[in-house]
Amino acid sequence: MALKEAGARGRLLRWPRVLLFGDSITEYSFQENGWGAYLAERLVRKCDVVNRGISGYNTRWAKLILPRLITESTSADSIVAVTIFFGANDSALKELNPKQHVPLEEYAANLKSMVQYLKSVDITADRIILITPPPLQESAWEKACLAKGDKLNRCNATTGQYAQACVQVARECGTDVLDLWTLMQKSQDFSSYLSDGLHLSTKGNSFVAAQLWSRLENKLSALPSLLPYWRDVDHMNPEASLL
């Protein structure tokens, strides 16, 4: 059978999508042992896990990009989950990092705006997960800053205010939320979750993966595997199984 004929006979295969939207902590999530790679492995043959992490970005910039990533005309109905994971850059101290800093009230408004936009293109609240920034281990991050000729430009208490704002937005908008800032600090030494005081270590990636999977598993467990198991294909008449 010619490929064009097969294409005409068969229905277009569309993989559902999980969209990961965030800053560098999302961008790096497909590295070895990353939390995004873990989700992709768990969901293979069921979903495409799409990494839209953009290092260094804050919510002020993110809300401008989101409508270019998802529109009604780009099959928003195929998106089964979206994570919004910003705050590590927004919470940078204004006097030391004015380019990335976003005031707390604006940060909350930007998150709310992104959730409202997703709802406007028919991505329901139960498909949206907000993620707070993780805690900041100041001494380790100060070393990273000094190595670049900078001063310590973030502090954990300030990051906590942004995390609380993220939790509040999720509550108001009816979405799920993963409060990493609080959960990670239940461990006496949360620095083991971080590679440089800000970004995730292997242990931190595993922690995020487990926490996110516990939220996604119920949402996505009913999704079927796409295409039949190879032993179930009729080898005498594969068209009957595959088209």
Side-chain angles (χ1 to χ4, degrees):
M1 181 185 291
L3 290 179
K4 282 188 177 179
E5 184 183 347
R9 280 187 56 188
R11 291 176 292 110
L12 182 64
L13 281 168
R14 292 188 184 275
W15 259 243
R17 291 177 292 159
V18 174
L19 182 75
L20 311 181
F21 187 40
D23 53 33
S24 58
I25 303 175
T26 297
E27 182 176 326
Y28 301 161
S29 72
F30 270 44
Q31 293 180 348
E32 186 176 4
N33 299 315
W35 60 270
Y38 174 92
L39 295 179
E41 190 276 329
R42 281 296 181 103
L43 293 168
V44 71
R45 291 271 303 272
K46 292 191 172 188
C47 291
D48 284 336
V49 179
V50 181
N51 187 334
R52 292 293 180 265
I54 311 160
S55 179
Y57 275 50
N58 57 31
T59 56
R60 182 181 293 163
W61 304 342
K63 74 173 185 179
L64 300 177
I65 298 165
L66 186 59
R68 300 176 64 195
L69 298 178
I70 302 172
T71 67
E72 285 180 301
S73 62
T74 55
S75 301
D77 60 337
S78 72
I79 295 178
V80 292
V82 180
T83 60
I84 300 178
F85 191 176
F86 289 95
N89 298 316
D90 298 70
S91 60
L93 302 175
K94 181 180 180 180
E95 62 274 18
L96 294 170
N97 191 348
K99 185 165 186 174
Q100 291 178 302
H101 169 79
V102 171
L104 183 61
E105 288 186 6
E106 183 189 343
Y107 167 74
N110 291 341
L111 286 179
K112 190 174 294 185
S113 175
M114 286 189 274
V115 171
Q116 290 170 342
Y117 173 76
L118 291 174
K119 290 179 178 179
S120 78
V121 294
D122 297 325
I123 296 175
T124 51
D126 63 314
R127 287 185 275 166
I128 302 168
I129 302 174
L130 299 186
I131 307 177
T132 77
L136 183 82
Q137 214 291 318
E138 293 176 15
S139 60
W141 183 241
E142 184 172 27
K143 288 180 183 178
C145 291
L146 291 172
K148 297 175 184 176
D150 298 326
K151 295 179 180 179
L152 177 64
N153 56 21
R154 290 164 170 80
C155 75
N156 191 40
T158 301
T159 302
Q161 293 174 351
Y162 284 71
Q164 290 168 13
C166 180
V167 171
Q168 182 61 32
V169 169
R171 187 177 296 122
E172 292 173 3
C173 294
T175 72
D176 203 347
V177 64
L178 173 53
D179 183 1
L180 290 181
W181 191 84
T182 298
L183 290 171
M184 284 185 167
Q185 290 187 93
K186 288 183 177 180
S187 170
Q188 286 188 332
D189 183 16
F190 69 87
S191 64
S192 62
Y193 291 125
L194 305 168
S195 61
D196 58 3
L198 175 68
H199 300 96
L200 300 175
S201 64
T202 297
K203 182 179 178 181
N205 272 285
S206 295
F207 183 85
V208 173
Q211 292 289 332
L212 256 184
W213 183 246
S214 72
R215 288 159 171 78
L216 287 172
E217 188 173 16
N218 289 339
K219 300 177 194 292
L220 307 181
S221 59
L223 290 173
S225 287
L226 295 163
L227 296 172
Y229 180 54
W230 71 271
R231 291 187 185 276
D232 297 330
V233 175
D234 181 351
H235 69 286
M236 300 299 290
N237 182 18
E239 292 89 348
S241 302
L242 302 177
L243 295 179

